[in-house]
Amino acid sequence: MSVTVKFFFYFIFKMRKILSRISVLVVMVSLAFVMTSSNRQFTIFMIGDSTMANKDIKKGQERGWGMVLQGFFTENVLVDNHALNGRSSRSFIIEGHWQKVYDAMKPGDYLVIQFGHNDEKGRIEKGNKRHTEPGLTFDDNYRMFIRAAQEKGVTPIVMNAVVRRNFYKKPDLTVDDESLRGAQSTGKELVNSDTLIDTHGLYIVTPQNVAKLMRVPYVDANKITKDLENGLGVEASRKLHMISAVKNGKDNTHYTVYGAHEVASRLVDAMADVCPELKPYVRHYDYIVSAKGKGNYLTLQDAVDAAPKGKLTQIYVIDGEYPKPKTNGKKIKIIKYSTVKIK
């Protein structure tokens, strides 16, 4: 046998051993990824308006759906909510809020984008910091958010605006949503329809169009919340909004504790549908407790007291320190973040 042939067989033998080792290494790495992927730590950044924003719990029942979203995830997921009352996609940028989010994002994170309520306000005029035009500047801002996220290795999740509770066929579109907070009506609520009437027009179309063109995850938050409101009907849907929390209230835009959780519970599932890798991190329990106002209840005892008798109630505690609750014979299962103390 020639030297060349011997070398050929020797080369093949060595390569088989090397390839075998590489295959084993690939399998080990793959297994390690599968075993640890559900424990991966990442942040979901939120940018948007008052329907999503954090609220001062000392001022009452108002909550943004983004404020309560943390209670629908495992503790290794951080929901970092930067949404702010009264902001549009334009004012969020020019006031410097977007830059803070951009600087904080890192590869593997997510960015939820939801504007529209305030982009509709005003006109294009000198000094107007909020107004954008659908098909033009509104689209430009969404595209900028998406591209910036992608540049940093962050997954954008595009949403359109949640609905206003409007069952009147001729809504006043000039009213600033922020002026409704705490406002009282002097007359009867205007209702002339048994199904919800849209108030957003083309502002709910832009996010969908941009997401489709840029091939990024999209959640139709407007349809999801419209179905929720219509499903409850004219009267029961009042409980979702602050109109029900203020005597003779007018606010059909901002959410109550109940409303924010109903919306967040649906939108988190929609997020996991368009980003299936999020599903292992999503959680749904009967009650959520948070001393910071991110839950249904501020104390563990309040959640236990609200639990029905004779039925297992699962209570998710995501922050705070609490005395051991008195269950009074109720079937209670407590699941908590590792940082929570119960003594």
Side-chain angles (χ1 to χ4, degrees), residues 47 49 51-52 65 112-117 120 138 142 157-163 198 200-209 211 217-226 255 263 267:
I47 59 173
D49 55 44
T51 59
M52 181 195 277
W65 75 263
V112 178
I113 310 162
Q114 185 185 68
F115 288 98
H117 277 267
E120 305 167 11
F138 194 38
Y142 260 89
I157 301 177
V158 171
M159 294 189 185
N160 55 3
V162 294
V163 297
D198 174 58
H200 292 299
L202 293 176
Y203 287 91
I204 60 172
V205 179
T206 277
Q208 180 179 14
N209 289 343
Y218 169 71
V219 171
D220 193 344
N222 191 267
K223 182 182 185 305
I224 290 169
T225 51
K226 181 180 180 180
Y255 294 121
V263 171
L267 294 186

Side-chain angles (χ1 to χ4, degrees), residues 28-57:
M28 290 176 66
V29 170
S30 298
L31 285 173
F33 176 79
V34 170
M35 292 173 66
T36 61
S37 60
S38 62
N39 293 318
R40 182 172 69 90
Q41 294 187 341
F42 57 90
T43 300
I44 298 176
F45 290 90
M46 316 274 293
I47 59 173
D49 55 44
S50 57
T51 59
M52 181 195 277
N54 293 338
K55 311 295 178 175
D56 185 348
I57 62 175

Side-chain angles (χ1 to χ4, degrees), residues 178-204:
E178 296 302 302
S179 69
L180 298 173
R181 187 175 286 109
Q184 291 184 308
S185 175
T186 56
K188 190 176 181 181
E189 182 184 3
L190 297 176
V191 174
N192 60 12
S193 172
D194 58 0
T195 57
L196 205 71
I197 304 298
D198 174 58
T199 63
H200 292 299
L202 293 176
Y203 287 91
I204 60 172

Side-chain angles (χ1 to χ4, degrees), residues 85 125 169 182 194 202 237 255-256 263 265 280 309 323:
N85 292 352
E125 57 189 17
K169 291 181 180 178
D194 58 0
L202 293 176
S237 61
Y255 294 121
T256 58
V263 171
S265 69
K309 292 183 178 180

Side-chain angles (χ1 to χ4, degrees), residues 14 45 86 105 153 156 190 248:
K14 286 292 185 182
F45 290 90
M105 293 189 301
L190 297 176
N248 299 321

Side-chain angles (χ1 to χ4, degrees), residues 2-264:
S2 68
V3 174
T4 301
V5 174
K6 286 181 180 179
F7 178 79
F8 174 78
F9 281 107
Y10 175 79
F11 175 78
I12 294 297
F13 175 75
K14 286 292 185 182
M15 285 302 296
R16 284 180 62 188
K17 290 182 70 175
I18 292 171
L19 289 172
S20 177
R21 290 172 182 170
I22 291 174
S23 298
V24 171
L25 181 60
V26 169
V27 171
M28 290 176 66
V29 170
S30 298
L31 285 173
F33 176 79
V34 170
M35 292 173 66
T36 61
S37 60
S38 62
N39 293 318
R40 182 172 69 90
Q41 294 187 341
F42 57 90
T43 300
I44 298 176
F45 290 90
M46 316 274 293
I47 59 173
D49 55 44
S50 57
T51 59
M52 181 195 277
N54 293 338
K55 311 295 178 175
D56 185 348
I57 62 175
K58 296 178 182 178
K59 293 184 177 181
Q61 287 287 307
E62 187 182 341
R63 303 287 188 273
W65 75 263
M67 178 178 179
V68 304
L69 189 65
Q70 183 69 63
F72 294 90
F73 283 105
T74 56
E75 67 176 300
N76 48 319
V77 177
L78 173 63
V79 175
D80 193 356
N81 188 16
H82 289 257
L84 292 166
N85 292 352
R87 269 55 175 204
S88 70
S89 65
R90 181 169 186 261
S91 63
F92 194 83
I93 295 168
I94 64 177
E95 291 176 1
H97 308 298
W98 166 243
Q99 187 63 49
K100 295 176 183 177
V101 176
Y102 179 80
D103 291 342
M105 293 189 301
K106 61 186 185 301
D109 288 339
Y110 292 79
L111 174 68
V112 178
I113 310 162
Q114 185 185 68
F115 288 98
H117 277 267
N118 299 304
D119 288 77
E120 305 167 11
K121 303 304 178 185
R123 300 177 316 216
I124 300 176
E125 57 189 17
K126 187 175 181 180
N128 189 314
K129 294 182 178 180
R130 296 195 296 179
H131 185 79
T132 63
E133 285 290 325
L136 296 170
T137 48
F138 194 38
D139 299 48
D140 290 341
N141 292 339
Y142 260 89
R143 281 193 289 263
M144 187 277 291
F145 292 137
I146 293 168
R147 290 194 187 103
Q150 291 175 326
E151 288 171 2
K152 299 203 74 171
V154 172
T155 301
I157 301 177
V158 171
M159 294 189 185
N160 55 3
V162 294
V163 297
R164 295 183 181 91
R165 179 184 167 275
N166 174 60
F167 291 92
Y168 188 61
K169 291 181 180 178
K170 293 184 179 180
D172 183 357
L173 302 180
T174 65
V175 176
D176 187 341
D177 294 308
E178 296 302 302
S179 69
L180 298 173
R181 187 175 286 109
Q184 291 184 308
S185 175
T186 56
K188 190 176 181 181
E189 182 184 3
L190 297 176
V191 174
N192 60 12
S193 172
D194 58 0
T195 57
L196 205 71
I197 304 298
D198 174 58
T199 63
H200 292 299
L202 293 176
Y203 287 91
I204 60 172
V205 179
T206 277
Q208 180 179 14
N209 289 343
V210 172
K212 184 177 181 180
L213 287 171
M214 299 188 73
R215 298 181 179 181
V216 297
Y218 169 71
V219 171
D220 193 344
N222 191 267
K223 182 182 185 305
I224 290 169
T225 51
K226 181 180 180 180
D227 290 345
L228 170 61
E229 307 256 0
N230 279 333
L232 289 172
V234 175
E235 289 304 317
S237 61
R238 290 170 61 93
K239 295 188 299 181
L240 298 170
H241 299 279
M242 288 299 291
I243 187 174
S244 66
V246 177
K247 185 178 180 180
N248 299 321
K250 295 176 64 176
D251 191 348
N252 284 300
T253 298
H254 303 109
Y255 294 121
T256 58
V257 173
Y258 167 75
H261 279 83
E262 288 297 306
V263 171

